[in-house]
């Protein structure tokens, strides 16, 4: 059971604070304990109430700083997701995003980056599928890294870039 004040990752929705324990807001006869989760990097209107014993949604503590540095250091070596057909790509992105695996988020981001470069050369637009999954993958990855390193969300991309380029030079 998580404690009030703990930072957790809730599914692929980003980082939340355990704000309080409470009873069901819907069913007065429900005896289960619920968590009231407040989002760290989204609107306060995105509050979630979920049973403390919810096995359907992954809830976990944040990774450690050492684990976060390890993921950042592996970014150049993490392969892109490669899928040829639009429908299969959406399914692959969805599967990777729902895994909760930060390296799979990186794979999505790298894949979309490559696709963006390709479509720009052809003077076309990036598909909505690519853009939406890139946005979600970045949000999930960046929100956790921002929380782990206690830096502003908007600084995460520069932080990653700086770390990778320093590693490449050193």
């Amino acid at each position: 059971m998580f404690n009030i004040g703990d930072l957790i990752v809730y599914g692929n929705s980003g980082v939340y604070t355990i704000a309080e324990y409470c009873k069901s807001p819907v069913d007065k006869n429900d005896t289960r304990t619920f968590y009231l989760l407040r989002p760290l990097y989204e609107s306060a209107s995105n509050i979630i109430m979920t049973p403390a014993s919810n096995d359907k949604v992954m809830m976990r503590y944040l990774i450690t700083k050492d684990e976060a540095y390890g993921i950042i250091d592996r970014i150049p070596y993490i392969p892109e997701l490669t899928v040829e057909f639009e429908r299969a790509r959406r399914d692959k992105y969805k599967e990777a995003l729902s895994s909760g695996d930060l390296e799979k988020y990186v794979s999505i981001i790298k894949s979309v980056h490559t696709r963006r470069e390709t479509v720009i050369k052809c003077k076309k637009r990036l598909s909505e599928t690519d853009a939406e999954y890139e946005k979600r993958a970045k949000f999930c990855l960046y929100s956790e890294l921002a929380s782990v390193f206690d830096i502003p969300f908007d600084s995460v991309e520069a932080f990653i870039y700086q770390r990778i380029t320093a590693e490449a030079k050193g």
Side-chain angles (χ1 to χ4, degrees):
M1 189 163 193
F2 298 105
N3 297 310
I4 293 174
D6 285 349
L7 293 180
I8 60 131
V9 174
Y10 182 78
N12 62 358
S13 299
V15 178
Y16 286 77
T17 301
I18 305 288
E20 62 182 80
Y21 305 123
C22 53
K23 297 295 178 193
S24 172
V26 178
D27 183 358
K28 301 292 183 208
N29 295 323
D30 191 342
T31 59
R32 296 177 296 174
T33 300
F34 283 70
Y35 293 127
L36 182 102
L37 307 176
R38 293 196 193 281
L40 227 53
Y41 300 102
E42 289 183 297
S43 163
S45 66
N46 289 344
I47 291 173
I48 293 175
M49 291 190 76
T50 186
S53 59
N54 189 348
D55 295 333
K56 295 179 183 173
V57 176
M58 175 198 65
M59 292 188 338
R60 63 172 174 78
Y61 285 106
L62 302 178
I63 60 174
T64 66
K65 278 188 179 180
D66 286 342
E67 291 169 325
Y69 280 127
I71 288 168
I72 292 169
D73 294 344
R74 286 191 303 277
I75 286 175
Y77 311 104
I78 296 173
E80 296 176 15
L81 292 177
T82 52
V83 182
E84 189 174 335
F85 301 106
E86 185 71 28
R87 178 73 172 145
R89 187 170 44 257
R90 179 186 315 263
D91 292 342
K92 194 77 164 173
Y93 286 166
K94 187 176 183 179
E95 178 185 320
L97 197 60
S98 65
S99 73
D101 183 337
L102 298 176
E103 289 193 15
K104 289 184 179 178
Y105 299 161
V106 171
S107 292
I108 293 171
I109 295 164
K110 289 176 75 170
S111 298
V112 175
H113 177 77
T114 298
R115 287 185 51 76
R116 180 177 283 109
E117 289 178 341
T118 302
V119 297
I120 286 172
K121 287 178 187 173
C122 298
K123 297 185 184 207
K124 294 183 178 180
R125 276 182 20 142
L126 187 67
S127 76
E128 288 183 32
T129 296
D130 289 317
E132 181 58 32
Y133 279 95
E134 177 190 43
K135 180 180 175 184
R136 290 300 312 159
K138 281 185 173 183
F139 180 79
C140 291
L141 177 66
Y142 294 2
S143 64
E144 186 158 3
L145 293 178
S147 298
V148 168
F149 293 117
D150 195 25
I151 60 175
F153 182 87
D154 294 341
S155 301
V156 172
E157 196 163 316
F159 180 85
I160 291 170
Y161 180 77
Q162 183 179 14
R163 172 91 180 178
I164 291 172
T165 55
E167 287 290 318
K169 291 178 185 176

